[in-house]
Every structure is written in C-alpha cells, then in structure tokens.
Amino acid sequence: MWIVTTIRREVFTLPAAELGPDNPLPPLRPPTELHHLEQRADLARELGRTYGYAPLRSLLPVRVRDGYDRVRAPRDLPALVIENDRLRATVLPGLGGRLASLLHKPTGRELLYRNPVFQPAAFALNGAWFSGGVEWNIGATGHTTLACAPLHAARVPAPDGGEMLRLWEWERLRDLPFQVDLWLPDHSDFLHVAVRIRNPHETVRAAYWWSNTAVPEGRRVLAPATEAWHLGPERRLRRVPVPAEPADSPYAADYFYDVPDTRRRWIAALDAEGHGLVQTSTDTLRGRKLFVWGTGSGGRRWQEWLTAPGTGGYREIQAGLTRTQLEHVPLAPESEVTWLEAYGPLDADLAGEPDAVTAAVEARLEAVLPRADVEAAHTAWTAYADAEPGEILATGSGWGALELRCTGRKTPGTPFPDSTLGPAQEPWLRLLRIGQLPAPHPAGPPGESLVAPHWRELLETAPSTPATEYHLGVAQWHAGDRAQAVRSWERALARTPSRWPALRALAVADREGGHPERAADRYTEAFDDLCRERSDDGEDGEAWTAATAALGREAIEALLTAGRTAPARAVWDRLDPGTRARGRFRMIEVGLLLAEGRREAARAVFDEGFEVADLREGAEILGRLWSHADDGPLPARYDFRMRPPEEE
C-alpha cells in the first residue's frame, strides 16, 4: 500500500520528571568547563585557528535550569510525527526539537536509543538535559542550552513536493538564529535533515554545531578513519589508532575520528548481525565522534541515572562542524552555513579486517544512498530554505522577536512574530519604545538581563534607575568590564529598596576578585534582605522559593569558604523544609556538618540516602565528601566517578 508522507501531532507519554522553575539569579560566574585540556601549543599547530577560538566564557543571558527533580510520573509530551511507508520519526518540539525515535517500519527496528524515561540531569551548559535520540547542539562546547527548551515548529514545502517539518529558534549564547528542516521523501529509507545557522549581525560570530545520536550499547561503531583524537580521563587530547572496541576502557572517553578531507562523511552503529543506523552528510559537517561511558562503576551509574535501571545502556555517535568539540568556527557578518544530514537503516557484513569492514560498510552506504544524492538533496533544499512556514505546530520563545524588533533585521523562512513576545520581553520592549526600563515588579525577583552590545548601549543611554544600573552591571560584567559593573551595582544598591540582587552581584564580584571575607559579608546581608522581602504567597511564590534556594546555596558555600560555619548554619536554618529536603541541599548539609566537625552526623546523612538531581557531569564532590565522612569505600549509589581516583 502506498502511503504519502505525513506530518501530524501526537502525544509521547513517558515516566517523566518535572523541569521546575529556572534559577532566577543571573549566572555571573564562568560555566564549568568539562573539556579543559592540559596541553595547548601542540594542538594549536595540529588543529589550526579553530582550536581555542572564541571559547564560551559566560552563560549570560541564559538562565540556569536547576529546578528539576527525580520524581517521575506518566506525563504527556507533545510530539510531531513525520512518516512515510518506510520510516516514522518522532520529534519533541518542546524539548529542543529532539528526534526521540526513528522507527524502520519494514523491519520494526528502532534505529536510535529511545530513552524509556524523561529525566533531566545537569549535562547541558545551563543545566537540564536528557539522554536519548538525536539532539541538535548549537552554541558552544557542550550540550546546548536549548536541550529542554521549546522550539518554533511549522509545516513548510519540501523539495520533492511534499512537506517538511521546520524547527527554529534564536540561540542566545552566540545570538544566532538557526533552523532544522526534516523531511522524508516518498519511499525513502532515509530521514533528510537540513540545517542552517545564520549570522545576521555586522560582526563575526562564533558558530558551533554537533548532532548527537544515542544508539544502543554494544553496537559496533565505524567511520572512514584509521586514526582518532582521543580525550580520556587524563584530559589530554592525543592521536590514537581507531580501536576495534573503545568500550574496553573503564572510564568515559571521546574519540574524534580524523576523517580525511577526500572521504565521504559518515558514521554507523551496527549490531552483531550487521544491522543498525548510519548517519551521513554533506562535507560541511566534517567531524565524527564516538562517546562511550566505559565499563567502570561510575559510567554504569551515570547510565542508570540518565535512563532507568535494567533498560540497557547507550553510546553516542556524533557529527559536527569541526574535527573536535574543542573548536568553534568564525561565521562572517551577514552570512550563513548550511548542510544536509541523512539518517537511516544499514545492513552490512562485519566479518573481516577492520579496514575491509569499513570499506564494505561505505560501499553498502553508497549503494543505498549515493554520496551524489545527498549533495543533490542539499542543493534542492536551498531553494526552499527561505520558504515561509505554513501551519504553526509549536511555539518557541519570544527572544527572537525581541531581537528583530531591536535590530530591524529579517530572517526569511524563520519568522519570529510579535505574537511570541511575553512578560520576560516586556521590560526590554519598553526600553526600546521609550528608552527606559520599568521599575521591577515588587512581588518577585528581578527579570532576565540582556547583555548583547546593542542592549548594553541602550542601557548606557537610559536614565539611571536602580533597575537600569543593575542590568547594566550584568551587561558590563559579561563584557569583561568588571570595574564598571561593580560601580553600576553600587549605584543600584544606593538607590533601591530591594537590595539583595545588587548585594548578591557584588558578592560574586568579591569572590571572583579574591576577597572571600567581603563576599561572605555581602552574601549574609543579601540573604537577610531577601528573607525580609520574600513572599511565599501568590503567583510569584515559586519564584521566591527558587531565589531563596539559589541565594542560600551560594551564601553557604561562600561562608564556608571564609571559615564562617555559624553564619552558614544560620542561612541553612532559614531555608524552607522543602528546600532542605532536596538532594542538592542534603549534600550541602553534609559539607556543613563536616565543617562543624560532626563527622558521624555527616555519615548519617549518607546512610539516610539522597539523590542530587542536578549533579554535574564530571563532578566528584560526592566522593570527596564521603572520604571526609567515612574511611570505607564509596557506596555504589554515590559513585559517579569518571576518572581514576588518583586523578580526582
């Protein structure tokens, strides 16, 4: 029976945790760098100008997403399904446009690792991320800040006369709009995915992209390379022969395949019978990578943490703009970069020597999807890249609409209509209209800050008010002008009845400037002021609870750093019981008890059991705390170590 390609709405039901509220405090401290290296000069020679170019130094203006928990209940997630007679692709527009499932209908095989749960964890640059499927990573080294954020989605015409699903958003770390177009040609075994990143600005911007595909553990991964850049627990990037089975390592590792410039770009993950998934692309998407968790207890624990015990592990095959994920590329003013990817089933004979098997897999790929056809599909798509969307299927944020309002630029094919503007954008719209920020809402924490140069210029010319000085300080801090930021926050502090936001900003400046005692003083004053001002009633009660938890967490850390155990305990005692019961705060309690010399009480907290929902990838704090609370081996439930103990 012939089935025309369709796009429809569905509901994707999973045991899922709640995302909860975002952290309302602007992230002034640098993001945790998971992939910092011990060597640089030799890599700069090998990798060229893209290595070390424009690394991310701030998460601003994005907020941290750390309000989620680990209480899972059946929840309905909105989904969009693209289907023809060969494949069924399920996309989650509200969660970064994740391709959650790719089912090959003739064989009934799921080609991806389909996570049986939705469980956020602190893997994204700004926190919440989840595993499984194919994610679209844009921004900077790491998982995108849009991992758990809604994207715009709509139907658009496809090159073959059918329909495409277009996803688009404004990526705020680099201030770049992007789009992802997905379609299934009739009778095709391959999902086509065309991507465009645009730089609408008059200055060069840094671009980054990696498509990250989760596949079931145990599959053999092949790519057209004999060498790879290996990044392991020793934090050194080095060339190695492509291993037959990288998972023999007990610790997590990245393998960036060194694909020769003349070779076709592809990567495949096949099971013992030679069945599985292949991903290929036009040459612009040059990089290919394998990530494995390793065979050690920490890697196994992370897999259970991100999925569910007993459901099988996964590994990741990835494709990116650069050879490694330690690189970014310059995107010229008023320019764009585009490419096309294809995902589909592949069957191949895996018997023989590694080079022969790789050649056979590539030959099989050429037989089912010729390289020339991928190039032709990309060329055909370019005529439709600016096609205006038809039916809107999902709505993203209002930040793109605000940017277009500010700059007056156009982004054909990816409209950001005024209808998407909301309360978060309203203060900035007023700044645009009348040149002045409104006074902050008295019933809640201050709104989001904007830090791009054009917004900073508007703040600099606006009348000096506490709100203007506060947000100007955040923009100056982001630009690296820390002395001016401090002066702006001091002016805000002198004139505002709500002192805690500026006090907290100045406390961060003191910590970063090497003044722990002064930071402790300011954190104490800020927390006192917040407790006087906060209100747990009304629609802003959740925001106040989030702000109190976030500021309390920072204050306790700063006070303990300054050796002020009693004031740290006083902050702890004023946190509400629900906050103190969260896993992150049980861990903070362990540190507080150890600082008070109460080792047995700290051990008792471990014995009671807790789960730190927002435990950061690569974090070894649980192991360090345990070593101070007990002389025995670290219990398996707290073992998230991704490096040998002697390197922690």
Side-chain angles (χ1 to χ4, degrees):
M1 177 181 177
W2 182 60
I3 300 177
V4 176
T5 301
T6 61
I7 300 175
R8 66 180 185 276
R9 289 186 174 93
E10 276 196 2
V11 172
F12 202 64
T13 303
L14 287 176
E18 290 277 12
L19 275 171
D22 288 353
N23 188 322
L25 307 183
L28 299 176
R29 302 188 72 186
T32 302
E33 178 53 67
L34 301 178
H35 297 291
H36 73 272
L37 300 182
E38 303 298 336
Q39 89 277 29
R40 293 187 61 90
D42 52 342
L43 289 176
R45 289 191 297 270
E46 288 270 8
L47 298 177
R49 65 174 182 155
T50 55
Y51 176 72
Y53 171 72
L56 186 69
R57 303 197 184 281
S58 171
L59 288 178
L60 291 166
V62 176
R63 284 186 166 181
V64 172
R65 309 203 73 174
D66 59 3
Y68 51 87
D69 56 30
R70 292 187 58 80
V71 179
R72 295 193 286 262
R75 306 185 199 279
D76 293 338
L77 306 178
L80 299 171
V81 175
I82 316 168
E83 185 170 11
N84 67 1
D85 59 330
R86 308 291 295 175
L87 288 174
R88 181 186 302 128
T90 302
V91 175
L92 304 179
L95 295 170
R98 182 74 58 97
L99 178 61
S101 171
L102 187 60
L103 181 72
H104 186 233
K105 295 165 68 174
T107 61
R109 294 192 189 113
E110 174 60 61
L111 301 180
L112 309 175
Y113 175 77
R114 177 172 168 170
N115 198 333
V117 302
F118 170 68
Q119 178 56 64
F123 277 55
L125 288 165
N126 64 330
W129 174 89
F130 66 106
S131 64
V134 183
E135 61 174 314
W136 319 111
N137 283 303
I138 182 173
T141 299
H143 293 283
T144 177
T145 61
L146 295 166
C148 291
L151 303 190
H152 301 279
R155 301 178 193 267
V156 293
D160 61 356
E163 288 185 321
M164 292 189 293
L165 171 62
R166 175 164 297 166
L167 306 168
W168 72 97
E169 221 347 321
W170 198 281
E171 200 287 311
R172 301 178 68 204
L173 291 180
R174 303 298 194 179
D175 230 5
L176 301 176
F178 71 98
Q179 72 190 71
V180 181
D181 289 351
L182 305 96
W183 78 100
L184 283 169
D186 286 341
H187 310 301
S188 175
D189 274 328
F190 284 86
L191 175 68
H192 287 35
V193 181
V195 182
R196 172 166 64 172
I197 305 174
R198 286 194 272 206
N199 178 8
H201 306 288
E202 296 177 351
T203 56
V204 176
R205 297 298 170 102
Y208 175 92
W209 185 279
W210 282 80
S211 300
N212 182 4
T213 303
V215 295
E217 199 170 49
R219 293 195 177 183
R220 182 172 175 182
V221 175
L222 301 108
T226 58
E227 290 187 315
W229 292 94
H230 170 262
L231 180 61
E234 71 283 358
R235 294 194 178 105
R236 294 185 65 85
L237 196 66
R238 56 190 177 89
R239 280 186 182 275
V240 298
V242 171
E245 183 43 68
D248 287 344
S249 168
Y251 296 101
D254 298 324
Y255 293 87
F256 299 101
Y257 294 101
D258 192 9
V259 179
D261 290 341
T262 57
R263 296 292 296 272
R264 181 176 184 177
R265 267 57 176 171
W266 61 270
I267 189 167
L270 308 178
D271 63 20
E273 287 73 42
H275 308 306
L277 172 80
V278 65
Q279 186 271 1
T280 188
S281 72
T282 49
D283 289 352
T284 297
L285 204 66
R286 65 177 301 181
R288 293 299 184 274
K289 172 194 165 182
L290 165 66
F291 168 77
V292 294
W293 283 105
T295 58
S297 57
R300 306 315 306 172
R301 184 72 178 106
W302 272 117
Q303 297 226 49
E304 293 177 352
W305 188 255
L306 295 169
T307 58
T311 57
Y314 72 95
R315 53 181 52 180
E316 296 170 355
I317 58 174
Q318 304 184 24
L321 281 175
T322 51
R323 285 161 291 186
T324 74
Q325 288 173 334
L326 306 170
E327 305 166 77
H328 303 86
V329 296
L331 193 56
E334 300 179 337
S335 70
E336 63 184 40
V337 59
T338 71
W339 63 90
L340 186 130
E341 306 178 44
Y343 295 80
L346 193 72
D347 300 309
D349 185 357
L350 300 184
E353 295 297 318
D355 289 349
V357 171
T358 301
V361 171
E362 186 164 328
R364 180 60 182 158
L365 172 59
E366 186 66 20
V368 297
L369 184 64
R371 185 178 190 179
D373 287 2
V374 176
E375 296 287 348
H378 177 245
T379 300
W381 167 81
T382 57
Y384 293 81
D386 286 347
E388 287 303 308
E391 179 189 3
I392 300 298
L393 300 172
T395 303
S397 78
W399 295 112
L402 182 68
E403 289 300 325
L404 295 185
R405 275 281 200 100
C406 183
T407 63
R409 300 185 185 277
K410 304 294 183 183
T411 54
T414 54
F416 295 93
D418 286 352
S419 60
T420 61
L421 294 165
Q425 292 82 40
E426 181 56 38
W428 301 96
L429 280 173
R430 184 168 175 181
L431 179 64
L432 275 177
R433 292 192 194 108
I434 66 173
Q436 181 174 339
L437 279 176
H441 193 285
E448 297 190 48
S449 298
L450 296 182
V451 297
H454 46 280
W455 292 109
R456 189 172 71 247
E457 290 171 6
L458 286 171
L459 290 168
E460 288 170 343
T461 58
S464 177
T465 66
T468 300
E469 296 292 356
Y470 172 76
H471 289 292
L472 176 58
V474 175
Q476 291 165 333
W477 182 268
H478 175 265
D481 195 347
R482 297 192 168 187
Q484 286 286 4
V486 167
R487 283 192 281 272
S488 294
W489 290 327
E490 287 174 341
R491 286 193 294 269
L493 183 63
R495 301 170 56 189
T496 180
S498 179
R499 295 168 52 82
W500 68 267
L503 281 167
R504 179 261 176 180
L506 290 167
V508 173
D510 287 333
R511 287 199 68 181
E512 293 295 297
H515 303 288
E517 294 290 339
R518 195 164 66 201
D521 290 339
R522 280 177 162 157
Y523 266 121
T524 299
E525 189 178 355
F527 192 75
D528 288 345
D529 187 68
L530 184 150
C531 289
R532 284 192 296 268
E533 184 178 334
R534 65 172 288 179
S535 171
D536 295 330
D537 300 325
E539 61 183 24
D540 292 306
E542 184 180 69
W544 278 119
T545 299
T548 306
L551 184 57
R553 173 176 165 179
E554 290 185 15
I556 291 172
E557 180 182 350
L559 287 163
L560 291 179
T561 298
R564 301 186 187 181
T565 306
R569 170 61 67 179
V571 171
W572 170 266
D573 289 341
R574 281 186 289 173
L575 295 173
D576 69 82
T579 296
R580 291 200 300 261
R582 290 169 54 187
R584 164 63 60 176
F585 287 84
R586 297 306 308 277
M587 185 179 74
I588 291 172
E589 183 183 15
V590 170
L592 180 56
L593 290 167
L594 289 170
E596 293 171 333
R598 299 165 63 187
R599 191 171 189 242
E600 291 185 1
R603 167 61 195 267
V605 176
F606 275 110
D607 291 342
E608 291 170 15
F610 59 89
E611 291 185 324
V612 184
D614 60 331
L615 190 67
R616 191 74 188 173
E617 178 189 9
E620 286 139 358
I621 186 172
L622 286 173
R624 289 196 296 270
L625 288 173
W626 173 264
S627 68
H628 292 295
D630 193 280
D631 297 327
L634 181 65
R637 68 177 299 178
Y638 300 117
D639 186 0
F640 293 89
R641 292 173 293 190
M642 298 176 71
R643 294 184 290 139
E646 63 271 15
E647 297 196 14
E648 294 179 5

